[in-house]
Amino acid sequence: MIITILCGGSGSSAIQKGLHTICPHLPIHLLINGYDDGKSTGVLRKVFPNTLGISDFRKNQLLEYKLLYGDGPIYKLLNHRFTEEQPCEIILSRIRATDFGTQESLKNFLIDHTTSFFQLEASKQIVYEDFSFMNIIYCSLLNDNNMNTVCEIIKKELGLQNTIYVNSNECLILKGVTKKGRRLENEASIVDFNDPADQIVDIYFDKEPPMLDDNTKKLLLRSDIIVFSCGTQFSSLIPTYKTRQFKETIQRSKASKFLVLNCDYDKDIIHYSGNELLDKINESLPLDDVQIMISKGMNQALYPTDPKYNYIDVPQLIRQNHHDGFLLWKYIFNHHFRMYYNHHYLFDYDYTLFDKDFMNISIENIELLKQLPHKTIITNNCYSNLLPIDGINVYSNISNLYNNKEVVDKSYLFRDDEIEEIRKILPSCTNRNYLSISIKPVWNREERIAELRSAVDNRYDIIKTGKTTIEITKKGASKRNLLINKQFLQDKYTYITDINDIHYTAEDKIRYLQVSSVHMTNVFLKSIIMREKYDACIVVGGINQRMEIDYPKCLVQVKNEIVLDRMIRMITPHVNRIFVCGSNYYKEKFQEFDRSHRYDSVTFLYFGSIDGSQTYPKGNGETIDQWLKTRTDLTRKVFIMWGDVLLSDPMILEEMYNRQYDTDFLIPTIYEPDPYAYVVLEGTRVKKMEYKRNVPVKEGYHDQCVFLCDRMRLQETLPQIKRANEMNLLDVVEHIENVTYYETIYGVKSFNTKEELERTSDIK
């Protein structure tokens, strides 16, 4: 899978970190321009006039090194900056004093190129102030190589996996012009612009604009996903977009394309609105088929609204004024693979799930596959050759052996006399349980198959399996015939494979995803898991004495719609299944409501008190406790929400999906005066829930009556809060270590009395 990121020096760091979190073994391709001329990079470009700006290349390679190997002594050396009058010996001493462990060759590499740099006559002209150590190494290498080659050398020496591309190796000076006609004479003046009375309107080069590098052009045309990073637009990004042949190449590329818009202002884009900034980018980078990644948490002046652009609005994407890279990729992959998500997945095995050259990824793929609810492996390989697979249905041995026990179609089995007939031609062949006859390893397979076709009876088919095997099968034994016979060619199935071994055509209803490697399968599996939906429980177990009505208060109407009906309608697209957990006290009322609506994915359950003393549960905790014990098939996390709630927007659930990581109990809140219930904090940790009736406060973080909980953790904790009179679900908060809260932008309204119900009339 080819993922390409167009970036500057540090603008894409969150994007790269996020991808590394999801797929640490997936190599990516970075496209960078070399027009930086600030700090020590600028000094080197003046002294060595044919040198591209080093810093953005260096920053990206050191970021990857840190992600792969941490920020230990070697990273600290590589990232070192210094101010010295006579730096050579001091730098060499620092290298020698660094603990390289087993990486003696890297140590010698750095020593050699530090020495080589300071032997250059031009190095003696430099004032070494706030100077990057690794700029010396890159500059030494650039003495005999272009930037592509230098980055490949650094990649090899540092043990990196990403590949760096340049827009062009032409050494140019970047300049700019402002709205008031002011000329900006170098890249540094563009980066540091920040003039409150003026605005950069364009950039240009000191010579003819550069021509797109041929290898870069090929990369863009081969890419599966292209991400245009956020960053310093007028120095790091727009110059790349202005490269000759870039626009035409991007328009030809069939990749899924995404632009991550800046979440706040850099100095170069001061005075631009989000719409204006997209218009400016669109002049050089055609945005017709580009998805713009935005979020309501970004600086609102940069939040675009122009309908001519395509947006993916990601809830909770911005954290502490930075993009959450994990969420970016969650939504990027979700969009990229959107045509292939389905009810049931059929996977080929060899070089789709498994590749002996990538055992760690292969083992992880099998473990990920186990997490999917509906999956099947269909392989031509022998069952005995597969990794240990538990809990997954497998059609193996030319797809004719089910779970290593049952022959699917016995008419495709070889007879003894047929095997003997073939052995006369191929004495070294292997009988695979009468399901096929194999020859391996074969390196010249095409030639060998051509020979066999003329020698073997036409009752048999000859096919390639794996990378070195030839299989002889009874005619008709094939994956496609299995798919037909098992009715797998329907549109509720997706087949994932590295080659078209089912003779798929556009007329087939099955969805067909051809992957380039086990890494791409790994990404696809993770994207399926990341979009998992959870079960939801609407708690309506009380008898609402304060409402003075003789039926459940969730069945009252607001704006001519029953509250419960409204909630079910709003949350259905965002959850797996819905369970309405009511009381035996109002069972007939709920059954009457259920009969009149007949929802597809809603189950009504009815409970009394656990001790059997009354026909309704003693508190919402008892309702949840009985629900968890009654339904053992629930998703690993569950939404719990009160039934007397009016959601302003179901996007609160999408927010919660995006905030669910690293928490066992998630509480969306709004900071408001005089809250009825609120979280009590101990530092940043949620210590417990408190209530106005016990300890009133002037203001606080009020929960929004919707919670996302780890099912097993909740089930373990509920018995700890059982009390004689009432079990309150939120009492579990002080017994669960990992409880988190956040401020939502989608508040809810709840009601316990008719007066409170009337105050909900302004809800949308």
Side-chain angles (χ1 to χ4, degrees), residues 621-724:
E622 278 204 356
T623 302
I624 298 302
D625 190 36
Q626 293 179 83
W627 173 57
L628 294 175
K629 290 174 179 175
T630 301
R631 299 299 302 229
T632 58
D633 61 339
L634 298 173
T635 51
R636 60 189 178 89
K637 288 191 176 185
V638 292
F639 287 105
I640 297 172
M641 54 194 74
W642 308 150
D644 54 355
V645 165
L646 295 170
L647 301 178
S648 63
D649 195 314
M651 287 301 290
I652 190 172
L653 301 181
E654 293 303 315
E655 278 189 333
M656 296 173 77
Y657 279 120
N658 289 350
R659 295 298 296 246
Q660 66 167 306
Y661 307 102
D662 302 319
T663 181
D664 292 327
F665 198 104
L666 179 64
I667 309 172
T669 67
I670 286 183
Y671 195 73
E672 61 184 40
D674 192 29
Y676 171 78
Y678 56 93
V679 298
V680 176
L681 300 176
E682 191 172 69
T684 57
R685 173 180 171 269
V686 177
K687 181 180 180 182
K688 65 176 183 177
M689 294 294 300
E690 192 52 270
Y691 302 90
K692 177 179 179 178
R693 64 176 181 267
N694 299 330
V695 184
V697 292
K698 289 184 178 180
E699 51 192 18
Y701 292 102
H702 187 186
D703 75 86
Q704 296 303 291
C705 307
V706 185
F707 313 94
L708 182 58
C709 318
D710 182 276
R711 175 177 56 83
M712 293 299 294
R713 191 75 181 90
L714 183 60
Q715 201 159 359
E716 294 167 358
T717 310
L718 276 168
Q720 300 178 40
I721 65 166
K722 190 169 184 179
R723 297 173 183 168

Side-chain angles (χ1 to χ4, degrees), residues 338-373:
R338 66 194 183 283
M339 301 300 295
Y340 307 107
Y341 295 126
N342 219 327
H343 176 74
H344 195 123
Y345 298 96
L346 310 173
F347 283 85
D348 172 49
Y349 183 77
D350 289 297
Y351 308 104
T352 299
L353 288 167
F354 173 82
D355 186 334
K356 60 181 174 53
D357 293 333
F358 300 101
M359 284 302 297
N360 289 339
I361 295 293
S362 301
I363 292 168
E364 185 182 27
N365 282 346
I366 297 300
E367 293 305 310
L368 291 168
L369 187 58
K370 291 177 182 178
Q371 297 181 44
L372 305 191

Side-chain angles (χ1 to χ4, degrees), residues 276-408:
E276 291 168 341
L277 185 57
L278 287 180
D279 287 343
K280 176 55 66 176
I281 293 170
N282 193 40
E283 291 174 8
S284 308
L285 169 65
L287 297 176
D288 306 30
D289 61 345
V290 177
Q291 303 299 313
I292 317 296
M293 310 298 292
I294 59 174
S295 178
K296 291 182 173 62
M298 62 196 293
N299 187 313
Q300 286 302 290
L302 282 172
Y303 186 84
T305 56
D306 193 326
K308 72 171 174 277
Y309 298 116
N310 309 301
Y311 303 107
I312 298 178
D313 198 332
V314 183
Q316 297 292 310
L317 175 62
I318 311 303
R319 310 278 180 90
Q320 298 178 331
N321 217 34
H322 290 85
H323 291 94
D324 183 319
F326 178 91
L327 292 183
L328 273 173
W329 287 106
K330 173 183 174 180
Y331 281 77
I332 287 172
F333 290 142
N334 185 72
H335 184 85
H336 178 71
F337 291 116
R338 66 194 183 283
M339 301 300 295
Y340 307 107
Y341 295 126
N342 219 327
H343 176 74
H344 195 123
Y345 298 96
L346 310 173
F347 283 85
D348 172 49
Y349 183 77
D350 289 297
Y351 308 104
T352 299
L353 288 167
F354 173 82
D355 186 334
K356 60 181 174 53
D357 293 333
F358 300 101
M359 284 302 297
N360 289 339
I361 295 293
S362 301
I363 292 168
E364 185 182 27
N365 282 346
I366 297 300
E367 293 305 310
L368 291 168
L369 187 58
K370 291 177 182 178
Q371 297 181 44
L372 305 191
H374 307 291
K375 68 277 183 178
T376 303
I377 293 175
I378 302 177
T379 177
N380 287 330
N381 207 334
C382 280
Y383 190 90
S384 58
N385 290 338
L386 309 185
L387 290 173
I389 297 172
D390 301 317
I392 303 175
N393 291 325
V394 180
Y395 291 93
S396 62
N397 299 73
I398 317 300
S399 314
N400 201 21
L401 184 64
Y402 183 60
N403 289 340
N404 202 31
K405 296 177 183 178
E406 175 189 339
V407 175
V408 178

Side-chain angles (χ1 to χ4, degrees), residues 3 60 69 125 144 183 239 358 365 400 424 445 489 591 610 693:
I3 294 178
N60 279 285
Y69 306 112
Q125 305 172 29
D144 299 309
R183 298 287 170 174
F358 300 101
N365 282 346
N400 201 21
K424 290 176 182 177
R445 286 197 296 180
L489 286 175
Q591 288 177 330
I610 292 175
R693 64 176 181 267

Side-chain angles (χ1 to χ4, degrees), residues 32-36 41 44-45 48-55 57 142 146-148 166-172:
I32 302 168
N33 71 58
Y35 307 123
D36 184 15
T41 291
L44 290 173
R45 292 197 73 189
F48 299 91
N50 293 320
T51 300
L52 285 176
I54 292 168
S55 66
F57 302 95
L142 282 167
N146 65 23
M147 187 60 80
N148 301 75
V166 295
N167 67 317
S168 171
N169 275 295
E170 298 173 57
C171 189
L172 303 174

